[in-house]
Amino acid sequence: MNSMDHPEKRGLPRSRRYGDRFVEALLFAAAITSILAMVLIFYFLSFESFLAFREVGVFDMLLGQKWHPAGEVFGMAPIIAGSVLITTIALFINILVGVPLAIYLSELAGRRSREVLKPAIELLAGVPSIVYGFLGVLILVVYLERSFGMLTGRSILAGSILLGIMFIPALTTICEDALRAVPKEFKEGSLALGATRWQTVRRVTLPAASSGIIAAVILNVGRIIGETMAALLVVGNVARLPSPIFDAFDRGAIFTSVIAGEMGEVAHGSIHYHSLFAVGFVLLAIVTVLNISADLVRAAIQKRFGGY
Amino acid sequence: MRKIRPAPLASIVVALFLLTSSLVCLVIQPDPIPLVSFWMGGLFLDLVLISASALTLRQDVSPGGRALWTRGRVLPLAADLSYLLAVILLVFFGLVGPGLELEFLGLSAVFTYAIVLPFLVFLASFLAIKDSINLLYGYSSRGREVLVFSMVRLSAVFTLILLGGIISVILFRGIGAISWEFLTQPHFRLGTEGGISTCIQGTFWLVMGAMLISAPLGIGAAIYLNEYSRHSGLKRVVTIAVGCLNGVPSVVYGLFGLAFLVATFGLSLLAGSIILGLMNLPTIILTSQEALKSVPNSLREGSVALGASRWQTVRKVVIPSALPGVLTGLIIGVARAAGETAPIMWTAVTFSATPVQMYYGIVPDVTQPVNNLCYHLLNLIYFLGAWDVEEKAWGTALVLLALVLSINMVAIFVRNHYRKKISW
């Protein structure tokens, strides 16, 4: 391969040599576009939110107990509380179905059921979020309202259920890859010792795949907090601290629903406009940290305990 | 050969009936629950059967094994049985009866009889199944395996029901709205009448624009990373950036477009295409890289040995071999771009009924905003309470879902078709 690095030594015609250089430069430009895009996104979000942070104060903004745009009070505590509550419940539903499904696909399913389930999961992953939101408004919200005698079914619970269900395919796909990467010898060794298949899964396969599974869960946390349309339509969009803090039956708001719900009506350049960018900036920071830490966690667990 | 015990088997059958019927009642909530007496009878029967088989189990197990009734087994069994008994007594004495309304912990919800009773029965029948399976297999690890794996199988059933449910609900409710006029006319009177032709056009051009931007950039980046890059440092930074870009929430893309592009281009097809293209970039880079990685090195070496330059090798050998994988990634990108709402909400769309302006009949006017299926559906959802748009909304959702799912199916088909065909 060494000679490929120095085309000039290999007597290629001059025109082709420069053509190759030109193509390489183009490809290089394409490769660094994503770095450029990431830098630009961070730059524009911090630039636009800077004004809000300066006007309101960083601590008042992040920890303030009230989000009341009409009174120019912008505290993100209610939004953060809503996001934490929604993410927790949604993640519970997500893991409850997603991980067993991955186990089924990688350990139990025969050829036939795999051929049905794999495309089904991929299709489910492709359902647009606005369609989930639409079904959420017309079916889930109505169901919750009737079942639990709520003032309105638009609630943190509705958002959690919807988001939890939405991201099952994403979790399952990554978990299945992690489970499949565990070498056959491990499982066969365990089975040969007389363990049942479930004992093998629990004591051998799952621990060996744990780094991948934990990384998948962290990535999914990022996806859940960042999901917009479905959340916007069902959470109720009332940015107020739930009154026992764990009251999932109350209306609430999360980062994305506040931004998407209020950006349409806000005056360009007002303090409210910049505050919404600040909310977006905090969201971006959280999700980016989660994404990078998913990678680091995977590497750390693999280094410490081995695994796949 | 192990003797099959009839009592646990019978109690499993009874409990399965309780489980399914209580689940159905949880979902549809018929007001005066017609099944209460059945449920109570079933629970009582289970209670008797489980106790009886627990008491006779001792005789079936061969002596010399480990102690059967350890504390870790007796206590859960006793707890489960007393829970069953408690449910029966609560209903028998009317503590859980019609008119019950529970409120607790300050939650803003009322738990009525129609929810509480099926829930209690559901839980009881689940516990009964767990204990019966344990008893059936004499508390061996095989019993636990049967129990856990049947729950694992349920998750697969749940997924299929979910997909089937989403598709069939939208199909049945939306099919009535679909007609030739619906697909070929613009909407009027705030979407209560007319069709969605402008949305279909807008979606088409937005997706085309997005792919024009993301396909060359994404495939180029993947080729550079996989075939050219010599600095592992740069490769690592790009990989991290792609990972981050992949995780950036769609609403943040929308904010970015609003701050960055709308200031320059205004609310326009161009701004929306750039944003959607950027959003698609990581998907396309990752899938293309995967496809390029799967091309074996021997092919590259063979080409280089024949005197081909690097670009010739890539163009004539690597890309043709990786094409199916790259194509799959592109098609998935099309489906994603067609289904996104948040990134274009403030950058490219209006609820307009004017068709896209065309130059020379084929080039759209990129400086004008367009309408879009997702955005149209969002507006109809907002109008739901105020105007009679529900049927149109179902129709729009059906068109959107059919569009996105069929594109995804094409991607799955392409991938499976070539996976079978290619062998190195």
Side-chain angles (χ1 to χ4, degrees), chain A residues 120-159:
Chain A
I121 289 171
E122 278 168 86
L123 287 187
L124 207 53
V127 175
S129 61
I130 185 90
V131 171
Y132 274 108
F134 178 59
L135 292 177
V137 167
L138 285 182
I139 294 175
L140 182 64
V141 162
V142 175
Y143 169 76
L144 289 177
E145 205 169 296
R146 198 189 52 176
S147 308
F148 296 107
M150 293 149 73
L151 287 175
T152 160
R154 296 183 189 232
S155 59
I156 292 178
L157 184 67

mmCIF file of all heavy atoms in Angstrom, chain A residues 120-159:
data_model
loop_
_atom_site.group_PDB
_atom_site.id
_atom_site.type_symbol
_atom_site.label_atom_id
_atom_site.label_comp_id
_atom_site.label_asym_id
_atom_site.label_seq_id
_atom_site.Cartn_x
_atom_site.Cartn_y
_atom_site.Cartn_z
ATOM 1 N N ALA A 120 -40.369 -5.901 10.649
ATOM 2 C CA ALA A 120 -41.409 -5.213 11.426
ATOM 3 C C ALA A 120 -40.782 -4.148 12.312
ATOM 4 O O ALA A 120 -41.286 -3.028 12.408
ATOM 5 C CB ALA A 120 -42.193 -6.215 12.269
ATOM 6 N N ILE A 121 -39.665 -4.500 12.955
ATOM 7 C CA ILE A 121 -39.000 -3.530 13.834
ATOM 8 C C ILE A 121 -38.461 -2.354 13.033
ATOM 9 O O ILE A 121 -38.579 -1.202 13.442
ATOM 10 C CB ILE A 121 -37.876 -4.225 14.618
ATOM 11 C CG1 ILE A 121 -38.499 -5.165 15.652
ATOM 12 C CG2 ILE A 121 -36.979 -3.228 15.303
ATOM 13 C CD1 ILE A 121 -37.516 -6.058 16.321
ATOM 14 N N GLU A 122 -37.908 -2.670 11.845
ATOM 15 C CA GLU A 122 -37.392 -1.573 11.022
ATOM 16 C C GLU A 122 -38.509 -0.636 10.556
ATOM 17 O O GLU A 122 -38.343 0.577 10.523
ATOM 18 C CB GLU A 122 -36.634 -2.133 9.817
ATOM 19 C CG GLU A 122 -35.207 -2.516 10.172
ATOM 20 C CD GLU A 122 -34.552 -3.332 9.088
ATOM 21 O OE1 GLU A 122 -34.009 -2.730 8.168
ATOM 22 O OE2 GLU A 122 -34.600 -4.577 9.155
ATOM 23 N N LEU A 123 -39.643 -1.242 10.208
ATOM 24 C CA LEU A 123 -40.773 -0.396 9.793
ATOM 25 C C LEU A 123 -41.256 0.461 10.956
ATOM 26 O O LEU A 123 -41.558 1.642 10.803
ATOM 27 C CB LEU A 123 -41.920 -1.259 9.284
ATOM 28 C CG LEU A 123 -41.721 -1.915 7.924
ATOM 29 C CD1 LEU A 123 -42.992 -2.594 7.479
ATOM 30 C CD2 LEU A 123 -41.311 -0.878 6.890
ATOM 31 N N LEU A 124 -41.322 -0.159 12.139
ATOM 32 C CA LEU A 124 -41.774 0.574 13.320
ATOM 33 C C LEU A 124 -40.849 1.754 13.601
ATOM 34 O O LEU A 124 -41.293 2.834 13.982
ATOM 35 C CB LEU A 124 -41.783 -0.392 14.514
ATOM 36 C CG LEU A 124 -42.743 -0.114 15.647
ATOM 37 C CD1 LEU A 124 -44.150 0.042 15.124
ATOM 38 C CD2 LEU A 124 -42.693 -1.237 16.660
ATOM 39 N N ALA A 125 -39.538 1.533 13.360
ATOM 40 C CA ALA A 125 -38.584 2.617 13.566
ATOM 41 C C ALA A 125 -38.816 3.740 12.559
ATOM 42 O O ALA A 125 -38.470 4.882 12.809
ATOM 43 C CB ALA A 125 -37.154 2.100 13.439
ATOM 44 N N GLY A 126 -39.433 3.403 11.416
ATOM 45 C CA GLY A 126 -39.617 4.412 10.390
ATOM 46 C C GLY A 126 -40.885 5.225 10.513
ATOM 47 O O GLY A 126 -41.057 6.207 9.804
ATOM 48 N N VAL A 127 -41.803 4.834 11.413
ATOM 49 C CA VAL A 127 -43.048 5.588 11.544
ATOM 50 C C VAL A 127 -42.723 7.013 11.985
ATOM 51 O O VAL A 127 -42.052 7.211 12.989
ATOM 52 C CB VAL A 127 -43.983 4.926 12.582
ATOM 53 C CG1 VAL A 127 -45.217 5.769 12.815
ATOM 54 C CG2 VAL A 127 -44.378 3.535 12.126
ATOM 55 N N PRO A 128 -43.151 8.030 11.220
ATOM 56 C CA PRO A 128 -42.793 9.414 11.555
ATOM 57 C C PRO A 128 -43.348 9.825 12.914
ATOM 58 O O PRO A 128 -44.419 9.368 13.315
ATOM 59 C CB PRO A 128 -43.478 10.226 10.451
ATOM 60 C CG PRO A 128 -43.768 9.288 9.371
ATOM 61 C CD PRO A 128 -43.964 7.954 9.997
ATOM 62 N N SER A 129 -42.602 10.686 13.608
ATOM 63 C CA SER A 129 -43.012 11.025 14.968
ATOM 64 C C SER A 129 -44.329 11.791 14.980
ATOM 65 O O SER A 129 -45.098 11.694 15.927
ATOM 66 C CB SER A 129 -41.917 11.813 15.668
ATOM 67 O OG SER A 129 -41.665 13.013 14.993
ATOM 68 N N ILE A 130 -44.608 12.527 13.901
ATOM 69 C CA ILE A 130 -45.866 13.274 13.884
ATOM 70 C C ILE A 130 -47.056 12.306 13.842
ATOM 71 O O ILE A 130 -48.113 12.584 14.405
ATOM 72 C CB ILE A 130 -45.907 14.269 12.700
ATOM 73 C CG1 ILE A 130 -47.162 15.143 12.720
ATOM 74 C CG2 ILE A 130 -45.868 13.557 11.372
ATOM 75 C CD1 ILE A 130 -47.010 16.384 13.461
ATOM 76 N N VAL A 131 -46.860 11.136 13.232
ATOM 77 C CA VAL A 131 -47.929 10.135 13.207
ATOM 78 C C VAL A 131 -48.151 9.571 14.606
ATOM 79 O O VAL A 131 -49.294 9.395 15.060
ATOM 80 C CB VAL A 131 -47.600 9.014 12.199
ATOM 81 C CG1 VAL A 131 -48.582 7.871 12.319
ATOM 82 C CG2 VAL A 131 -47.605 9.563 10.792
ATOM 83 N N TYR A 132 -47.045 9.316 15.334
ATOM 84 C CA TYR A 132 -47.191 8.904 16.735
ATOM 85 C C TYR A 132 -47.944 9.975 17.520
ATOM 86 O O TYR A 132 -48.817 9.677 18.331
ATOM 87 C CB TYR A 132 -45.819 8.688 17.369
ATOM 88 C CG TYR A 132 -45.242 7.313 17.167
ATOM 89 C CD1 TYR A 132 -44.173 7.103 16.319
ATOM 90 C CD2 TYR A 132 -45.766 6.217 17.841
ATOM 91 C CE1 TYR A 132 -43.634 5.844 16.140
ATOM 92 C CE2 TYR A 132 -45.230 4.956 17.669
ATOM 93 C CZ TYR A 132 -44.169 4.779 16.817
ATOM 94 O OH TYR A 132 -43.638 3.537 16.643
ATOM 95 N N GLY A 133 -47.582 11.227 17.279
ATOM 96 C CA GLY A 133 -48.247 12.311 17.987
ATOM 97 C C GLY A 133 -49.729 12.353 17.682
ATOM 98 O O GLY A 133 -50.566 12.520 18.574
ATOM 99 N N PHE A 134 -50.064 12.170 16.419
ATOM 100 C CA PHE A 134 -51.460 12.179 15.970
ATOM 101 C C PHE A 134 -52.253 11.071 16.660
ATOM 102 O O PHE A 134 -53.333 11.310 17.237
ATOM 103 C CB PHE A 134 -51.466 12.004 14.448
ATOM 104 C CG PHE A 134 -52.828 11.946 13.817
ATOM 105 C CD1 PHE A 134 -53.718 12.985 13.957
ATOM 106 C CD2 PHE A 134 -53.202 10.835 13.087
ATOM 107 C CE1 PHE A 134 -54.966 12.932 13.362
ATOM 108 C CE2 PHE A 134 -54.448 10.770 12.493
ATOM 109 C CZ PHE A 134 -55.327 11.819 12.633
ATOM 110 N N LEU A 135 -51.697 9.851 16.646
ATOM 111 C CA LEU A 135 -52.368 8.745 17.322
ATOM 112 C C LEU A 135 -52.436 9.000 18.823
ATOM 113 O O LEU A 135 -53.426 8.664 19.476
ATOM 114 C CB LEU A 135 -51.629 7.433 17.054
ATOM 115 C CG LEU A 135 -51.690 6.931 15.616
ATOM 116 C CD1 LEU A 135 -50.860 5.674 15.456
ATOM 117 C CD2 LEU A 135 -53.122 6.662 15.213
ATOM 118 N N GLY A 136 -51.383 9.607 19.353
ATOM 119 C CA GLY A 136 -51.365 9.931 20.778
ATOM 120 C C GLY A 136 -52.511 10.851 21.142
ATOM 121 O O GLY A 136 -53.222 10.635 22.127
ATOM 122 N N VAL A 137 -52.734 11.879 20.325
ATOM 123 C CA VAL A 137 -53.801 12.846 20.611
ATOM 124 C C VAL A 137 -55.171 12.191 20.502
ATOM 125 O O VAL A 137 -56.038 12.370 21.351
ATOM 126 C CB VAL A 137 -53.708 14.039 19.627
ATOM 127 C CG1 VAL A 137 -54.967 14.883 19.699
ATOM 128 C CG2 VAL A 137 -52.502 14.873 19.936
ATOM 129 N N LEU A 138 -55.375 11.407 19.454
ATOM 130 C CA LEU A 138 -56.726 10.888 19.211
ATOM 131 C C LEU A 138 -57.024 9.592 19.959
ATOM 132 O O LEU A 138 -58.192 9.259 20.164
ATOM 133 C CB LEU A 138 -56.942 10.664 17.711
ATOM 134 C CG LEU A 138 -57.157 11.954 16.927
ATOM 135 C CD1 LEU A 138 -57.402 11.667 15.475
ATOM 136 C CD2 LEU A 138 -58.317 12.753 17.506
ATOM 137 N N ILE A 139 -56.012 8.836 20.361
ATOM 138 C CA ILE A 139 -56.280 7.552 21.012
ATOM 139 C C ILE A 139 -55.773 7.523 22.452
ATOM 140 O O ILE A 139 -56.543 7.363 23.395
ATOM 141 C CB ILE A 139 -55.667 6.404 20.192
ATOM 142 C CG1 ILE A 139 -56.393 6.323 18.844
ATOM 143 C CG2 ILE A 139 -55.798 5.078 20.927
ATOM 144 C CD1 ILE A 139 -55.820 5.330 17.888
ATOM 145 N N LEU A 140 -54.462 7.728 22.632
ATOM 146 C CA LEU A 140 -53.875 7.586 23.964
ATOM 147 C C LEU A 140 -54.429 8.616 24.946
ATOM 148 O O LEU A 140 -54.852 8.277 26.056
ATOM 149 C CB LEU A 140 -52.348 7.713 23.863
ATOM 150 C CG LEU A 140 -51.579 7.541 25.162
ATOM 151 C CD1 LEU A 140 -51.754 6.135 25.691
ATOM 152 C CD2 LEU A 140 -50.110 7.848 24.966
ATOM 153 N N VAL A 141 -54.454 9.870 24.509
ATOM 154 C CA VAL A 141 -54.905 10.948 25.396
ATOM 155 C C VAL A 141 -56.371 10.730 25.787
ATOM 156 O O VAL A 141 -56.754 10.869 26.949
ATOM 157 C CB VAL A 141 -54.706 12.316 24.706
ATOM 158 C CG1 VAL A 141 -55.524 13.385 25.373
ATOM 159 C CG2 VAL A 141 -53.241 12.685 24.713
ATOM 160 N N VAL A 142 -57.187 10.337 24.815
ATOM 161 C CA VAL A 142 -58.600 10.099 25.086
ATOM 162 C C VAL A 142 -58.763 8.942 26.070
ATOM 163 O O VAL A 142 -59.550 9.001 27.014
ATOM 164 C CB VAL A 142 -59.345 9.790 23.763
ATOM 165 C CG1 VAL A 142 -60.784 9.414 24.036
ATOM 166 C CG2 VAL A 142 -59.252 10.974 22.828
ATOM 167 N N TYR A 143 -57.949 7.891 25.855
ATOM 168 C CA TYR A 143 -58.012 6.724 26.737
ATOM 169 C C TYR A 143 -57.640 7.088 28.168
ATOM 170 O O TYR A 143 -58.349 6.731 29.124
ATOM 171 C CB TYR A 143 -57.073 5.636 26.201
ATOM 172 C CG TYR A 143 -56.858 4.505 27.163
ATOM 173 C CD1 TYR A 143 -57.845 3.535 27.359
ATOM 174 C CD2 TYR A 143 -55.682 4.403 27.895
ATOM 175 C CE1 TYR A 143 -57.652 2.504 28.253
ATOM 176 C CE2 TYR A 143 -55.488 3.374 28.787
ATOM 177 C CZ TYR A 143 -56.465 2.426 28.968
ATOM 178 O OH TYR A 143 -56.286 1.418 29.861
ATOM 179 N N LEU A 144 -56.551 7.832 28.340
ATOM 180 C CA LEU A 144 -56.102 8.188 29.680
ATOM 181 C C LEU A 144 -57.127 9.073 30.376
ATOM 182 O O LEU A 144 -57.419 8.922 31.557
ATOM 183 C CB LEU A 144 -54.750 8.913 29.622
ATOM 184 C CG LEU A 144 -53.547 8.057 29.248
ATOM 185 C CD1 LEU A 144 -52.303 8.913 29.150
ATOM 186 C CD2 LEU A 144 -53.338 6.960 30.277
ATOM 187 N N GLU A 145 -57.687 10.010 29.609
ATOM 188 C CA GLU A 145 -58.659 10.938 30.170
ATOM 189 C C GLU A 145 -59.852 10.179 30.744
ATOM 190 O O GLU A 145 -60.308 10.439 31.846
ATOM 191 C CB GLU A 145 -59.111 11.874 29.045
ATOM 192 C CG GLU A 145 -59.620 13.205 29.502
ATOM 193 C CD GLU A 145 -59.765 14.125 28.299
ATOM 194 O OE1 GLU A 145 -58.734 14.439 27.682
ATOM 195 O OE2 GLU A 145 -60.902 14.496 27.976
ATOM 196 N N ARG A 146 -60.321 9.192 29.979
ATOM 197 C CA ARG A 146 -61.481 8.428 30.402
ATOM 198 C C ARG A 146 -61.124 7.501 31.569
ATOM 199 O O ARG A 146 -61.880 7.360 32.517
ATOM 200 C CB ARG A 146 -61.994 7.604 29.222
ATOM 201 C CG ARG A 146 -63.406 7.107 29.397
ATOM 202 C CD ARG A 146 -63.749 6.129 28.315
ATOM 203 N NE ARG A 146 -62.739 5.077 28.243
ATOM 204 C CZ ARG A 146 -62.822 4.029 27.439
ATOM 205 N NH1 ARG A 146 -63.835 3.909 26.617
ATOM 206 N NH2 ARG A 146 -61.885 3.099 27.436
ATOM 207 N N SER A 147 -59.944 6.892 31.505
ATOM 208 C CA SER A 147 -59.609 5.879 32.496
ATOM 209 C C SER A 147 -59.302 6.461 33.861
ATOM 210 O O SER A 147 -59.662 5.876 34.876
ATOM 211 C CB SER A 147 -58.382 5.090 32.049
ATOM 212 O OG SER A 147 -58.563 4.621 30.766
ATOM 213 N N PHE A 148 -58.616 7.583 33.890
ATOM 214 C CA PHE A 148 -58.132 8.081 35.168
ATOM 215 C C PHE A 148 -58.832 9.361 35.600
ATOM 216 O O PHE A 148 -58.356 10.056 36.477
ATOM 217 C CB PHE A 148 -56.624 8.294 35.114
ATOM 218 C CG PHE A 148 -55.862 7.027 34.903
ATOM 219 C CD1 PHE A 148 -55.262 6.746 33.694
ATOM 220 C CD2 PHE A 148 -55.780 6.079 35.913
ATOM 221 C CE1 PHE A 148 -54.578 5.561 33.500
ATOM 222 C CE2 PHE A 148 -55.101 4.897 35.734
ATOM 223 C CZ PHE A 148 -54.501 4.634 34.511
ATOM 224 N N GLY A 149 -59.968 9.667 34.992
ATOM 225 C CA GLY A 149 -60.722 10.836 35.396
ATOM 226 C C GLY A 149 -59.873 12.092 35.452
ATOM 227 O O GLY A 149 -59.991 12.899 36.370
ATOM 228 N N MET A 150 -58.996 12.272 34.465
ATOM 229 C CA MET A 150 -58.124 13.437 34.497
ATOM 230 C C MET A 150 -58.828 14.618 33.839
ATOM 231 O O MET A 150 -59.704 14.447 32.996
ATOM 232 C CB MET A 150 -56.820 13.127 33.740
ATOM 233 C CG MET A 150 -55.981 12.087 34.432
ATOM 234 S SD MET A 150 -55.023 11.092 33.288
ATOM 235 C CE MET A 150 -53.776 12.243 32.793
ATOM 236 N N LEU A 151 -58.411 15.830 34.228
ATOM 237 C CA LEU A 151 -58.981 17.030 33.615
ATOM 238 C C LEU A 151 -58.713 17.009 32.123
ATOM 239 O O LEU A 151 -59.575 17.293 31.312
ATOM 240 C CB LEU A 151 -58.363 18.283 34.235
ATOM 241 C CG LEU A 151 -58.823 18.589 35.648
ATOM 242 C CD1 LEU A 151 -58.068 19.775 36.204
ATOM 243 C CD2 LEU A 151 -60.316 18.823 35.678
ATOM 244 N N THR A 152 -57.479 16.696 31.779
ATOM 245 C CA THR A 152 -57.142 16.482 30.375
ATOM 246 C C THR A 152 -56.158 15.337 30.294
ATOM 247 O O THR A 152 -55.301 15.175 31.159
ATOM 248 C CB THR A 152 -56.530 17.744 29.734
ATOM 249 O OG1 THR A 152 -55.816 17.328 28.573
ATOM 250 C CG2 THR A 152 -55.585 18.442 30.671
ATOM 251 N N GLY A 153 -56.312 14.527 29.259
ATOM 252 C CA GLY A 153 -55.415 13.391 29.116
ATOM 253 C C GLY A 153 -54.023 13.795 28.686
ATOM 254 O O GLY A 153 -53.089 13.007 28.748
ATOM 255 N N ARG A 154 -53.883 15.049 28.216
ATOM 256 C CA ARG A 154 -52.549 15.518 27.828
ATOM 257 C C ARG A 154 -51.718 15.646 29.083
ATOM 258 O O ARG A 154 -51.960 16.524 29.900
ATOM 259 C CB ARG A 154 -52.643 16.863 27.113
ATOM 260 C CG ARG A 154 -53.393 16.736 25.813
ATOM 261 C CD ARG A 154 -53.435 18.049 25.070
ATOM 262 N NE ARG A 154 -54.350 17.892 23.945
ATOM 263 C CZ ARG A 154 -54.040 18.197 22.691
ATOM 264 N NH1 ARG A 154 -52.865 18.705 22.427
ATOM 265 N NH2 ARG A 154 -54.907 18.011 21.730
ATOM 266 N N SER A 155 -50.776 14.767 29.239
ATOM 267 C CA SER A 155 -50.068 14.720 30.511
ATOM 268 C C SER A 155 -48.671 14.166 30.311
ATOM 269 O O SER A 155 -48.329 13.665 29.237
ATOM 270 C CB SER A 155 -50.817 13.817 31.482
ATOM 271 O OG SER A 155 -50.911 12.534 30.919
ATOM 272 N N ILE A 156 -47.890 14.267 31.375
ATOM 273 C CA ILE A 156 -46.547 13.710 31.353
ATOM 274 C C ILE A 156 -46.609 12.211 31.091
ATOM 275 O O ILE A 156 -45.809 11.662 30.345
ATOM 276 C CB ILE A 156 -45.839 14.018 32.684
ATOM 277 C CG1 ILE A 156 -45.590 15.521 32.771
ATOM 278 C CG2 ILE A 156 -44.555 13.246 32.811
ATOM 279 C CD1 ILE A 156 -44.957 15.965 34.047
ATOM 280 N N LEU A 157 -47.627 11.551 31.684
ATOM 281 C CA LEU A 157 -47.765 10.100 31.499
ATOM 282 C C LEU A 157 -47.978 9.763 30.027
ATOM 283 O O LEU A 157 -47.348 8.839 29.492
ATOM 284 C CB LEU A 157 -48.940 9.577 32.332
ATOM 285 C CG LEU A 157 -49.127 8.072 32.285
ATOM 286 C CD1 LEU A 157 -47.965 7.369 32.957
ATOM 287 C CD2 LEU A 157 -50.426 7.655 32.951
ATOM 288 N N ALA A 158 -48.864 10.518 29.367
ATOM 289 C CA ALA A 158 -49.125 10.251 27.953
ATOM 290 C C ALA A 158 -47.839 10.396 27.148
ATOM 291 O O ALA A 158 -47.525 9.546 26.303
ATOM 292 C CB ALA A 158 -50.187 11.211 27.426
ATOM 293 N N GLY A 159 -47.080 11.454 27.448
ATOM 294 C CA GLY A 159 -45.811 11.652 26.749
ATOM 295 C C GLY A 159 -44.851 10.505 26.999
ATOM 296 O O GLY A 159 -44.209 10.001 26.073
#
